[in-house]
Structure formats: structure tokens, C-alpha cells
Amino acid sequence: MAAVPDPAGVDAGRADAQGYAADWARAVRRLGFVPFSAAETERLLLVHTIRLAQAVRAEPFTAGPAEEVGRALVEAHLTEPQTLDWTLHALGAAFPRQVLGVGDRPPDLADRIASVQGGLAAGFARALRDRTFSQQERIARSAWQARDEVEQALRNSEARFRAVFTGAAIGIGIAGVDGRIIDVNQAFADMLGYSIEELRGTNVAALFHADDAAGMWELYRELTEGKQDAARVEKRYHRKDGSVVWTDLAVSLIRQDGRPRFTVAMIEDITQRYELQQRLRFQALHDPLTGLPNRTLFFETLGRVLDTAGAGQRVGVCFLDLDGFKAINDSLGHDLGDRLLVMIARRLAACVADRGHLVARMGGDEFVILVDEGDDIDDAVAVAEAALAAVAAPVHVGNHQLAVSASVGIVQCPAAETTASELMKAADTTLYWAKGAGRGRWAVYDPERSARDIARSALVAGLPAALDRGEFVLHYQPIVSLLEGSMLAVEALVRWEHPELGLIGPDRFIGLAEETGLIVQLGEWVLRRACHDAEQWRREFPEAKLVVSVNLAARQADDPAIVDTVADALLTTGLPAELLQLELTESAVMGSAGEPLRSLHRLAALGVRLAVDDFGTGYSNLAYLRRLPIHCLKLAGPFVEGIRADGSDVEADHRDERIVDALVRLAHALELWVTAEAVETGVQAERLRALRCDTGQGRYFGAPAPAETITARLRGREVTQ
């Protein structure tokens, strides 16, 4: 970019050269691109304005300075044609009047202005022409240089390609679009066992492996038709000696004038790598001990079967687990256990070999058989029975002869209605059903039973939170005097107000609470709540002296803290000890070894009444029973239910009545109070009264109800349930 001269110190005369330069600068910037700022443009044109004014006044006159100004405009890149037009027009119109003073105007001013216009235009044109010639010369030189460089690069590229083609360690082959090989390098020929001359002219299809020929020719056709420009695959080729070589093949399409002309293939021998991959894959998908397919391969196969199954096709699994394998491992050692697993695996594979079923080891002593061709459950059952028979045959391992059995869970269903995870979850559940039924058995999946198990598990999981959230409530069932008909006591019965299932009876969750150990915490809550309600009744109805009876589970009775818990409940609520009765089962009372529980005497010492619940269904030692601080026996419901008097079974009716009579006499002989449970009818109540039974409990006297119902009954009225 040309430098902008500094006009400082130049005498512009009396005329307005500065204004003319400003107008010139604005016009130039308006008419085209100017590589200067506005101030720089005005300063540059002010210099040229002054030079032109000096040239017009100069003696002798010459148009040379005007030519220099024209050339300077081109050098400053002010080359727009409209810029030149404006400049020449302004020289003729505004320049004399605006720049030249009256006294500075020579007599031949018009001729001089015309000469200045011509000189400026000539200088502008010659400078523009010179610049154009210079640019054309540079372009020509660059074009020749580029052509030389391209030719040299092409020669270098060809030399490099030939060097790479000849000396490359991987095979390189060039073929036409018709598949005929044009040339190959030595590595290509050596890889396939041919000479270079033998391969030239050969069609590439002749080298394809028979199993891959269709796919390879399809791939090659897509390349030659220009549908793809490159492809990379792992493929097999036939060597000249008939052996197979695995290769990593990369093929590229070469075009000329946009049309496919050649293909260049680069192949690398990966036979050793492929064989290693196959060995690693086998190891990854097979059990290292037994050689059977492992869990991963089983699920891959099962998933493929489910994905490709046709309409109506069924699929099943037999999930097998050895019975008592841990005992064999622990007693005879893991080495012998491993040898046993190997023999069992071989037997399982052999027993279904003719059926083509997949046998896999899932881990430990668990095996699974995939039955993907059965029409109904009988086919899967037949496979399970064959597997159990194979396992049950005597096994000789070292110096030991072992008798082994297994349990099998069987699941079969339409393939379209299940997934791999659902199928195996059902099989696992069914396997545990089979184990629970005994050794050497199979069980078939039952959706309804599974739903019950799931519901049961949901209840188990919800028990702790339910207790924390206060979802448990107490209902009370009256215990009535058979002689007078008055309510002497109530039995506290816990219920679960489930947020989704509604009110749940104890038969659905007490057993679960005992299994999980939550029964101790739940039992303590029941005890404290029952004592609280009983104390409320005592305060409002002191003359009733209503006893509240609370059941103690066996685990509660075994708890060393039970006496302290009962004592604290009585102290906290203020309930007198004689108004609390604790009910224990016969097994809890007698203890695991037939010895009375030590806690019973301490509880009796508190003044609490003790009762044996469901008496007659256990194994009470009467000699011990008479030495225990028991106050009441509650006759088991089945004995009372037998006293029906409906004529259906007179002999059984009399037999049950004699049993109840004997039990009542026995209890009275031991100075114990007797309560009959499950009294449903007036006839039963009357016959129990005749047998001198003390109290009765059952729906005839009132169903279990909330505490408010008992309160209403104590007030002398009933509340409709």
C-alpha cells in the first residue's frame, strides 16, 4: 500500500485546496473500495490537489506532474473507473474556481486544464496497463512453475508408489473393473503361494473362499459400479496349495474422469491373529473346568433364539442344581468336587446330544439346558427327567463312589412372550421350588405361584417400613363367660392396614415377621398398644375388670428381655398386671428340650396371667405342665369345630366331644381356667357349657373388631360391623 504524503507546510495559496481535497476524498470513497481511512484518503488527495495546482501555475507549463498524479492514484489502488471520471470532471469544473486564486490563473488556463486532464488520464491508463502486464507475467510464471511442480510431484508420486508397491510387507494388487488382476506385488503373490505372472490376468473371484464368494463378489460389484469408494473386511482366500489364509482386506476404487477404472486391494495375512481370536473367544464363552458353554454363550444363544423365533414357537429351559454339592466339597475336597463336576457335565451333554440341546454351566454346581424345539411342556419335562437320570447314576471319583442327585426347575413358554432375563428368573424360582420339595425332583413354573411368592416378598420388604409408618392396628375379639354370658376378656389381634392391599390379616404376615426377626419389635408394639387400650377401658369401666390377652411368639418368649419389656409396658401404661394375659404356644411353653422357660416364673411373679394357646395340638408334657405357673388353657379350634351337631358325622362329633370333655377335666384337675376357641354357633356354646368349659371365644360371641367396638359393648350397646 502506498504511503500517504504529509501536506504540512505546503502553501495551498489563497484558494480552498483543503475543501477540494475533502470533496475528492468523499467521492472516491463513495464510488469504490479505498484501502485507507477517511482522514488518510483526504490527506493523500490534498497532496495531489496541491501538485496539480502548482503544475497549472508553473512556467513553463508541462503536463508531466499530472501524469505522475494519475500514476500515483493507481499505485494507491484508487483504480475504479468511476473514480477517474469524477476526477477528470472535477478538474474541468470545480478545480479552477475552488483551488486557483484569481491572481494565479494564467491566460491560457483552459488549455492548461485540458492538458492536465489528459496527462492525468494518460498517467492513470499507463500505470493501470503496466500493473496488468506485471500481474499477467506473474500469473504466467506461477502457472509454469505450478505445472513443473505438478509434473515433478507426479514423477515423485509414481516413484514412491512403485517403491511402496514393490517393497511393501503387505500384499497390494491392482485390478480392472472387470475383476482381472493387472498387477500384484511380491508380498501378495507369496501370501497366496503364486508367482506374480500367474496372478496377472487372473479374475479375483477365482481366489475367493467358497463360503465367502457370494458376499465378496457383491462387495466387489458395488465398488466397480461406484456405489462405494472403499471397503474393509476380514476374508478368507484359497492358497495355491488349497489351504486357507485369513486376511484383513482393504479395497479402494480409483476413478478417472469421474468413472471407475481400477481397484487397489491391500491385504494382510491375519491367520495367526484370527486363530488366536478364535481361541480367546472359545475361552471367553466356555467354562474352563468342564468345557461346556458358559453363562455368556448361553445368554447369547438364548437371545438369538428369542430374536429369530417364528410365530407360535416355544422355548424352554431346564435349570439344574446338584443337591448337597457343598457337603461333598467340604468333606472330600475341592479337587474331587471339580472332578465330579466334569463327569456330571459330560453326562448332561451326552444325554441331550441326540436332541441337539445346548448344555451350559452357569457357575458353581448349576447347569442349564436350552430346549428350543419343544412343542409343549412335556418335551421339557422329558429333558429334565433324562438329565436327572444321568446325574443319579453312581459316580466313581478316585477311590470314592458317590450317589449324586439334582433338582431341576422347568420353564417353557411362547418365545414372543418372554425375554432372556424373565425366562431365567422364572427358572431360578422354579428350581428353588423343586429343592424345597426334596432331592432329585423337578418342578414346572407356575405363574400364579410365582405371583404369590412375589407378593409375599413384597410384604416382607414392606414390613419394617410399615411398622415405622404406623400401619399396624389392633382388633379385639371378646372372650365370654359360658356360664353368665358376660365379656371377661378380649384377645388382641394385630392387622396390617396396607396402603395398597387394604386390611391384611395376621395369617399373611405374622409368619413373615417371625422369619425376618421383626416379630420381636412388632410383638412389643402389640403388647404396649394392648396395655394402653386396656388401661383406657379400666379407667372408664373399672367394675368390668376386663383382661386383655396378648399373643407372644416363640422368638419373643425366647428373648431374654421379655420380662423387662412386659414390666415396662405395665409401668408406662399404668395397667395392673392381673389384667394382662400372655398367650404362648405349647412349643414355646415347653422349650426346645422339654424344659419350662425360665422367663415364665418371672412373668408370673409380676402378676401377669399366662395361657397356653391352641392346647391339644402340641406335645405337652403333663408332668411339667402342672409345675408351670399357667393360669389358662385355650382349647384348639379343631376340637371345638368338631362339635357341630349338624348330623353330618355323628361318630366324629361324639369323639371330639369326648376329647374336649377330657381336656376340660384335665385342666380343671390342674386348677386351670379353660377357654374354647372357634365357637361359631349357639349349639357349640351350649354343649361347651354342659361340659363345664369356663369361657368361649369365636364369631358367635363377636368377631375381632376395633377398640371402639369393645368400648361400645362395655357401654351396653353393639356397633354394626
Side-chain angles (χ1 to χ4, degrees):
M1 182 182 295
V4 179
D6 186 356
V10 178
D11 183 9
R14 292 184 300 275
D16 187 12
Q18 186 75 42
Y20 181 86
D23 293 340
W24 193 2
R26 282 192 295 271
V28 167
R29 294 181 62 82
R30 184 179 70 253
L31 296 173
F33 170 74
V34 178
F36 308 111
S37 66
E40 290 174 334
T41 304
E42 184 176 339
R43 190 161 61 246
L44 171 65
L45 296 181
L46 177 59
V47 172
H48 295 329
T49 300
I50 294 172
R51 291 184 66 187
L52 291 173
Q54 291 173 345
V56 170
R57 294 194 299 264
E59 293 294 345
F61 170 76
T62 177
E67 293 184 14
E68 293 176 359
V69 170
R71 182 175 293 278
L73 291 177
V74 173
E75 292 175 352
H77 302 287
L78 304 178
T79 57
E80 287 289 336
Q82 292 177 328
T83 298
L84 179 62
D85 291 344
W86 190 95
T87 301
L88 295 177
H89 182 269
L91 282 174
F95 184 81
R97 169 178 47 79
Q98 189 173 355
V99 177
L100 299 176
V102 177
D104 294 334
R105 299 176 183 175
D108 55 348
L109 176 62
D111 295 336
R112 293 191 179 195
I113 290 297
S115 297
V116 167
Q117 289 175 320
L120 189 146
F124 187 93
R126 281 194 288 271
L128 194 59
R129 182 196 58 190
D130 293 344
R131 189 176 72 170
T132 301
F133 287 162
S134 177
Q135 290 176 345
Q136 290 176 343
E137 184 178 358
R138 285 198 301 271
I139 291 172
R141 285 199 302 269
S142 297
W144 283 104
Q145 182 178 358
R147 187 184 65 181
D148 292 343
E149 291 176 353
V150 167
E151 291 178 351
Q152 184 61 42
L154 181 59
R155 289 192 293 272
N156 293 340
S157 176
E158 291 176 349
R160 287 194 298 270
F161 176 77
R162 180 53 56 183
V164 170
F165 183 82
T166 304
I170 64 173
I172 303 176
I174 304 173
V177 293
D178 60 353
R180 295 288 176 181
I181 296 176
I182 298 173
D183 199 5
V184 297
N185 66 354
Q186 191 63 47
F188 192 109
D190 293 343
M191 191 180 304
L192 300 183
Y194 293 91
S195 66
I196 295 177
E197 290 71 20
E198 287 176 319
L199 288 173
R200 286 175 179 158
T202 301
N203 195 292
V204 294
L207 304 175
F208 296 159
H209 190 277
D211 295 338
D212 300 335
M216 283 297 295
W217 185 244
E218 180 69 22
L219 174 65
Y220 195 79
R221 186 168 63 251
E222 289 185 357
L223 282 169
T224 57
E225 291 176 355
K227 296 179 180 179
Q228 295 188 50
D229 288 333
R232 184 169 183 174
V233 291
E234 289 187 359
K235 286 296 179 182
R236 293 170 289 183
Y237 283 96
H238 285 297
R239 294 173 58 89
K240 185 177 180 179
D241 60 7
S243 60
V244 174
V245 57
W246 275 92
T247 68
D248 183 352
L249 170 65
V251 186
S252 299
L253 178 67
I254 306 299
R255 300 173 185 266
Q256 285 185 352
D257 300 327
R259 295 188 304 169
R261 295 297 302 274
F262 307 102
T263 59
V264 177
M266 290 182 287
I267 61 173
E268 179 183 3
D269 186 348
I270 60 168
T271 303
Q272 292 184 349
R273 186 181 76 188
Y274 178 82
E275 292 174 349
L276 176 60
Q277 288 175 341
Q278 292 301 104
R279 289 196 298 271
L280 292 176
R281 176 172 173 77
F282 183 88
Q283 294 172 6
L285 298 178
H286 290 76
D287 175 49
L289 176 64
T290 64
L292 290 178
N294 62 10
R295 183 185 188 91
T296 301
L297 181 54
F298 172 79
F299 275 103
E300 283 186 7
T301 306
L302 177 57
R304 185 167 58 252
V305 169
L306 294 176
D307 291 340
T308 60
Q313 183 174 340
R314 301 179 67 85
V315 62
V317 294
C318 296
F319 197 12
L320 181 146
D321 181 84
L322 299 183
D323 298 323
F325 179 73
K326 183 178 183 301
I328 296 176
N329 254 351
D330 294 343
S331 60
L332 301 180
H334 289 272
D335 179 64
L336 188 141
D338 288 347
R339 293 164 62 187
L340 172 62
L341 289 175
V342 171
M343 297 185 68
I344 294 297
R346 291 173 181 170
R347 289 185 179 184
L348 291 176
C351 77
V352 298
D354 58 335
R355 298 182 173 96
H357 299 317
L358 174 69
V359 181
R361 183 188 179 198
M362 300 298 282
D365 59 338
E366 294 180 341
F367 300 86
V368 64
I369 303 173
L370 177 59
V371 185
D372 59 339
E373 297 179 356
D375 296 327
D376 53 37
I377 192 63
D378 292 338
D379 296 313
V381 170
V383 172
E385 290 179 341
L388 289 177
V391 172
V395 180
H396 296 275
V397 182
N399 297 325
H400 301 276
Q401 177 174 321
L402 304 177
V404 184
S405 65
S407 301
V408 181
I410 306 171
V411 182
Q412 190 187 62
C413 62
E417 298 178 5
T418 188
T419 65
S421 60
E422 290 174 352
L423 196 64
M424 290 310 299
K425 181 179 179 181
D428 187 58
T429 299
T430 312
L431 172 61
Y432 282 98
W433 293 348
K435 278 191 169 294
R439 292 172 175 261
R441 297 173 181 266
W442 53 262
V444 176
Y445 180 69
D446 179 2
E448 294 183 1
R449 180 177 177 181
S450 177
R452 291 195 298 271
D453 288 350
I454 292 173
R456 182 176 183 274
S457 299
L459 290 179
V460 170
L463 273 172
L467 189 58
D468 293 338
R469 290 193 296 261
E471 295 178 2
F472 291 99
V473 296
L474 289 186
H475 285 189
Y476 296 92
Q477 186 170 37
I479 299 175
V480 177
S481 170
L482 291 174
L483 181 62
E484 300 176 355
S486 60
M487 184 171 60
L488 303 180
V490 291
E491 181 178 357
L493 301 170
V494 66
R495 303 287 190 268
W496 182 358
E497 287 188 332
H498 197 281
E500 298 175 0
L501 304 177
L503 195 65
I504 299 176
D507 56 315
R508 293 185 59 184
F509 64 85
I510 288 297
L512 303 180
E514 290 177 344
E515 292 177 12
T516 60
L518 191 67
I519 190 65
V520 175
Q521 187 178 354
L522 177 60
E524 181 177 347
W525 178 87
V526 171
L527 172 67
R528 293 183 181 277
R529 184 66 199 179
C531 289
H532 174 271
D533 291 344
E535 174 59 15
Q536 298 300 313
W537 291 322
R538 186 189 69 81
R539 292 183 180 181
E540 187 173 353
F541 313 102
E543 71 286 351
K545 297 183 180 179
L546 189 67
V547 175
V548 64
S549 189
V550 178
N551 290 281
L552 284 187
R555 186 170 293 191
Q556 284 181 276
D558 290 339
D559 187 0
I562 184 61
V563 178
D564 295 335
T565 300
V566 173
D568 183 69
L570 294 173
L571 178 64
T572 302
T573 60
L575 180 70
E578 63 270 16
L579 297 184
L580 174 63
Q581 177 174 277
L582 299 178
E583 297 185 18
L584 300 92
T585 62
E586 288 185 67
S587 58
V589 170
M590 302 308 298
S592 59
E595 293 292 335
L597 293 176
R598 292 189 298 271
S599 299
L600 291 182
H601 292 281
R602 295 177 59 198
L603 288 171
L606 293 176
V608 173
R609 293 172 54 85
L610 299 176
V612 178
D613 194 15
D614 290 330
F615 183 76
T617 60
Y619 52 89
S620 294
N621 184 322
L622 299 181
Y624 280 114
L625 186 61
R626 68 183 181 83
R627 292 162 48 189
L628 293 176
I630 302 299
H631 302 85
C632 176
L633 294 182
K634 299 188 72 173
L635 299 182
F639 297 129
V640 178
E641 291 171 359
I643 309 176
R644 295 184 301 273
D646 56 5
S648 60
D649 192 343
V650 176
E651 183 178 350
D653 183 42
H654 289 317
R655 185 167 57 248
D656 287 333
E657 185 171 341
R658 288 193 295 270
I659 293 174
V660 171
D661 182 43
L663 291 176
V664 171
R665 290 176 182 275
L666 171 64
H668 286 170
L670 296 174
E671 300 180 351
L672 299 177
W673 195 266
V674 180
T675 298
E677 297 182 299
V679 180
E680 304 292 328
T681 67
V683 173
Q684 288 176 318
E686 185 59 34
R687 295 179 71 174
L688 288 167
R689 185 182 299 110
L691 294 174
R692 301 180 63 192
C693 186
D694 300 297
T695 54
Q697 175 182 355
R699 291 191 176 274
Y700 177 71
F701 300 110
E708 294 80 6
T709 303
I710 302 301
T711 301
R713 186 164 178 169
L714 289 171
R715 289 174 180 164
R717 59 187 175 88
E718 297 287 345
V719 175
T720 302
Q721 298 299 308

